[in-house]
Amino acid sequence: MSEYQIYTLPNGIRIAHKRVQNTKIVHCGIMFDIGSRDELPHQAGLAHFWEHMAFKGTKKRKSYHIINSLESVGGELNAYTTKEKICFYASVLDEYFVRAIDLLSDIAFQSTFPEKQLELERGVILEEMSMYLDSPEDAIQDEFDSIIFPKHAMGVNILGTTESVKGFKREDFQRFIAENLDTERTVLSIVGNISFEKAVKVAERFLKDVPVVKTGRKRSAPNEYVPQNIRVKKDNNQAQVAIGSPSFSLSDSKRLPFFALVNLLGGPGMNSRFNLSLREKYGLVYQIEASLVSYSDTGLFSILFGTDHDNLNKAFKLVWKELNALKNKKLGSLQLKTLKDQLKGQLAMAEESKQGYMLMMAKSILDLGYVEPLHEIFSDIDRISAQGLQDLAMEAFNVDYLSTLVYN
């Protein structure tokens, strides 16, 4: 794929474009640097609710027309909300590219939040919340966030609370958008066999009239963390476990080497140390994962697994054993090379997804101002040392700093 290009409209909205040959599909999305962490306590769940309501009507389209516009030509329209981002995105045949940008710009900037649809969607979201609460492996992740980021919006469930969702009115969405939407913190991302010139021309057509908005919003970083060890009695077939702590932000130089370390422990590879031990050797879990999620000013390191109640203590001991092994002994040269090669391969394969690249490009530009080329990331991986990884393990896997949450 060719290098990406950026064009900034007079209102501050950036157009990020990457041309890909030999494809008939264009992936495009509008991403806002707005997420659930930007909500005030009484607004919990409002960002996610906005994401839903954007599809329910605009000044020139009803809900049916929004749903049918791209689906009727085989395209896809979707959206998601995270702690820091809201994104509306689409994938279509290139001949319907203009239609996709027209629709995305409409739902992103011209939603009317019709009252009737608001009441219907309120019920949908309450059902979504019930679904998550009925799934202990999902529920424990949300509750664990509140332990890692106490007294902060980062620790609040993205879906909000039953009370907050039941109380939202049309003006709440309008006020939240007015308080948080900044055109300089908005990116339209496009990946496909579309020329940069055409991408800019179409973007200008549908986005140039969006008024300049500068909120000057400042996010406050979470800083109230105190390690906790909590056990909650649950009538579940399995015990569910979360272990972790606050971790490295997107701009921290330790992020990439720690990501490599976490990948070694419990990444997607079947050869992760946790998987080889707890699943393959002892048969204690079906799935165990370790992850690092980095945000603009903090991060979350977590280990998640479920096991039979009778095997809980043995599983814990094996997890601590693997953490201590990385603290007590440096990786050998072959182990280090294997770790680096595996991480490079995973990152390269992830970039093969054109839709994934489109979303990553938008997020990276909002968070960092640029997209780091894969070859530069590979160079950074090559500079990771065994001693550096051991030092990180000593710092991050300190049992006195880690929190645990157990549903048992």
Side-chain angles (χ1 to χ4, degrees), residues 57-83:
T58 68
K59 294 178 180 179
K60 64 180 182 180
R61 289 180 172 92
K62 293 186 181 297
S63 176
Y64 170 79
H65 300 115
I66 292 171
I67 293 171
N68 198 50
S69 179
L70 300 186
E71 297 280 349
S72 63
V73 293
E76 295 178 354
L77 178 65
N78 213 330
Y80 65 83
T81 303
T82 68
K83 302 281 187 180

Side-chain angles (χ1 to χ4, degrees), residues 48 52 81 124-142 157-160 234 407:
H48 171 258
H52 277 239
T81 303
V124 171
I125 291 175
L126 290 171
E127 288 301 319
E128 184 180 0
M129 294 172 72
S130 297
M131 180 182 70
Y132 273 88
L133 290 173
D134 284 342
S135 173
E137 60 268 29
D138 291 325
I140 197 170
Q141 294 184 52
D142 289 327
N157 189 328
I158 289 172
L159 300 179
K234 295 277 188 178
Y407 289 175

Side-chain angles (χ1 to χ4, degrees), residues 330-346:
K330 287 193 298 186
L331 295 181
S333 57
L334 180 58
Q335 291 175 315
L336 182 62
K337 183 180 185 303
T338 300
L339 167 64
K340 293 179 179 181
D341 288 345
Q342 183 168 359
L343 185 56
K344 289 177 183 178
Q346 290 172 352

Side-chain angles (χ1 to χ4, degrees), residues 229-281:
N229 296 290
I230 299 174
R231 294 207 173 207
V232 180
K233 185 65 178 176
K234 295 277 188 178
D235 187 21
N236 297 328
N237 292 327
Q238 275 190 322
Q240 295 291 331
V241 178
I243 304 169
S245 65
S247 194
F248 305 110
S249 70
L250 286 164
S251 58
D252 197 305
S253 61
K254 296 178 181 179
R255 182 187 66 85
L256 182 60
F258 188 61
F259 181 80
L261 197 63
V262 172
N263 199 61
L264 172 66
L265 273 174
M270 292 294 287
N271 65 338
S272 74
R273 291 194 172 189
F274 283 154
N275 193 67
L276 290 176
S277 175
L278 279 83
R279 174 173 167 148
E280 298 300 322
K281 187 174 182 180

Side-chain angles (χ1 to χ4, degrees), residues 3 30 128 156 178 215 239 242 268:
E3 289 302 309
I30 294 176
E128 184 180 0
V156 178
T215 63

Side-chain angles (χ1 to χ4, degrees), residues 340-355:
K340 293 179 179 181
D341 288 345
Q342 183 168 359
L343 185 56
K344 289 177 183 178
Q346 290 172 352
L347 293 173
M349 288 181 68
E351 192 166 302
E352 284 293 300
S353 166
K354 298 175 182 65
Q355 183 185 83

